Amino acid sequence: MLNRVTTPQNLDERFRDAVSALPLPATLRAPGDPVRDGVTLTGDQARELFDAQLTSRHLDLAARWLRSFNEGFHSLGSAGHEGNAAVAAALRGDDPALPHHRSTAFFCVRAARGPAADPSLEEAARDVLRGVVASVRDPGSGGRDFTLGSPALHLIPAVGGPGAHLPRAAGLARVLARAAGTPWPDDAIVVASFGDDGLSGPGATAALHSAGWDERSGVPLPLLLVCEDDTPGGPEPDGWVAASLRARPGLRYSFADGCDPAAVYDAAADAAAFVRAERRPALLHLSTVRLLGGPGEPDTTPGLDRDPLIVTAGLLVAAGLLTPDETISRYDEVGWQVRKAAEEVLGEPKLASLAEVAATLAPRRPLRVAHAVTESATRAAGPGRSGRLRAFGGRLPEDAGPMTLAQTVNATLTDALLADPGLLVLGPGTTRGGRHGVTTGLREHAPDRVLDTLPDTTTILGTALGAGLAGMLPVPELTGQADLDTGIDQLRAEATGMAFLSAGAYRNPLVLRIPAFAQPLAPGGRLANDNTVAALRDVPGLVVAVPAHPVDAAPMLRTCLAAARADGTVCVFLEPVALYPMRDLYQQGDNEWLAPYPAPGTWSEDHVPIGRARTYGLGTAQDLTIVTYGNGVRMSLRVAAQLAAEGYGSRVVDLRWLSPLPAADLVREASATGRVLIVDETRRSGGVGEGVLAALVDGAFVGSVRRVAAADSPVPLGPAAQQVLVGEDAITQGAHTLLAR
């Protein structure tokens, strides 16, 4: 028969009844002895875990009490998962951990053992409750959301959906195994927990797959994954979750009853010792129960007799370390302490303005970024000159003549690898040049910092995010823009969300390079010719850069790298594939789409701040403003040259930055002519053009506006693509329509 708990009161009553009925032991055990035969957990350790479990349980109850009068904004759901306290006890305090949202007991153990001057469970409870009431004093997120993160405790918050943090954990483990100078000891291991609800998600799928791949490939990976399985049906390990986890190749599997702290402690200690010694991944499967739901979840579960608090109490009473009455008294004492802490945090201030809310979202310090560019130029021109000469084969790129867009990006990445020993270039086939050859030769300059990865986008981004946590500057490359369809969660939640939800304590410096936009008549159809950026422009705090001309590629990429390093900025660098090899602009052989690589002495002068556009003037530049980016820049310049021959002067505005849009430059250049033609190679609905129109309205632009955009359709294969994409004929027609007004 299934036991069902519908209220916290039922849970409280069942604990008291069950503990009161525990029999007194015939023999007593010493506090330093194992709490029962066949285990290593001592009585003293069990007492410590019990206090952490009690604190966690009462935090669940206090959260619901606060919610009952609209003072609590997150209902904790750790009841039934308190066995993870034993996982925390089996680890070292300096092992970086990424706990899932039912890990309050884990947090309490870390806090009670933490580096604070006077660590206590009462203070840990106060910190957790600050997150529940959205207090600005919440050390996790500063009142922005409930998280279980703390740099002092080496706890990295899980800020995405179920299992979304696991690719980051795997990425961090890869970096720990190969990089020096991380915030953690050389023999540290990474531990990440997740629930069975996250097992089928893309994050868990990618992390388990890549961990097994690394193990089979001989790549060191000190990673311990802990699955807390609370699926209905009790503790049997032969259900679907167990079968799925056991089948993962390359991962050492072990199982324990997650409600029994002695069994969990031994299993976790054994798994951690294996990972630490072998630098190989392991998976610990714990069967648990869910006694209270989280936000929006029902408070119902089978198996109340497996309540971890009752199990631990039974161990202590059976060992003669506590009597039933003493156990209940301790339960009430901890409950009183937690309720007192809840009352104390009620009056703490909340975030009271948009500026306070967004303060940690995406810091922008343009002067610091410009200074970082200047410093890199100084190093390259001075102490780094001899290294540059060797890296570039005795001929510096600034002396090699005009370059294409692809060549410029390659040279800039080479300079960046030479200048920053923490730069990490990674992606599928990166060591062989990547899909389009842009990373060719980079491995020769930094063999340990140019890595090949699996082609899965979630794994690529997770590896990069883990590297960023370890203090590196990752520059991953995807094979194409369509790859973002499976990786956007890593950008939206895990990347840009980390600084926001950790009050800036953790950052994700990242420059994601993507061969982007469509190529008419190119092979591959819609997947190779994706032309939408709507999902990127919807991510708060994300910087989206689009270099069109080689003259902008190097300074824009250096700006992104400097912003990532200085401010922890998350950047997406969209490189128009069709423009990679382009040499000519108006006619064959004119070489107008080439540019010399800038020498270090000009890097400061050529610096392109985030959110600043470039304007090309043709003719009088007084009749029409064409606003565009990417492939649209070259097409618009060609149309503008035709218009100049007809006597019309145009100014072509290359946005360069799609997020944030260069609104001030845009409104200024639009007002100069009073006529604006928006050339948008993304789709008409949800495309960049909508953002440009909004910027013009917000800037009180008064004049005529017309928009040319791609159709609301995937890009088909072959010549039919020209029916969807923007072309020069459509731009010319739009320009003449405006000029006729």
Side-chain angles (χ1 to χ4, degrees), residues 339-350:
R339 178 64 66 91
K340 178 174 175 286
E343 293 172 350
E344 290 172 350
V345 302
L346 273 175
E348 292 185 352
K350 311 291 193 294

Side-chain angles (χ1 to χ4, degrees), residues 405 435-436 438 477-484 512-520 527-533 536 544-547 572-580 629-631 658 681-682:
L405 180 67
R435 183 173 183 179
H436 298 279
V438 179
E477 178 185 54
L478 303 186
T479 58
Q481 196 170 340
D483 291 352
L484 275 174
L512 173 62
R513 295 181 44 254
I514 307 177
F517 303 116
Q519 307 174 76
L527 294 180
N529 290 290
D530 197 308
N531 66 329
T532 177
V533 297
L536 293 177
V544 182
V546 182
V572 175
F573 201 72
L574 299 175
E575 301 164 6
V577 178
L579 299 180
Y580 270 156
Y629 60 94
N631 293 310
L658 303 188
E681 64 177 302
T682 60

Side-chain angles (χ1 to χ4, degrees), residues 86-103:
V87 177
L91 298 168
R92 288 198 330 220
D94 57 4
D95 287 329
L98 293 84
H100 78 319
H101 66 285
R102 302 190 196 281
S103 302

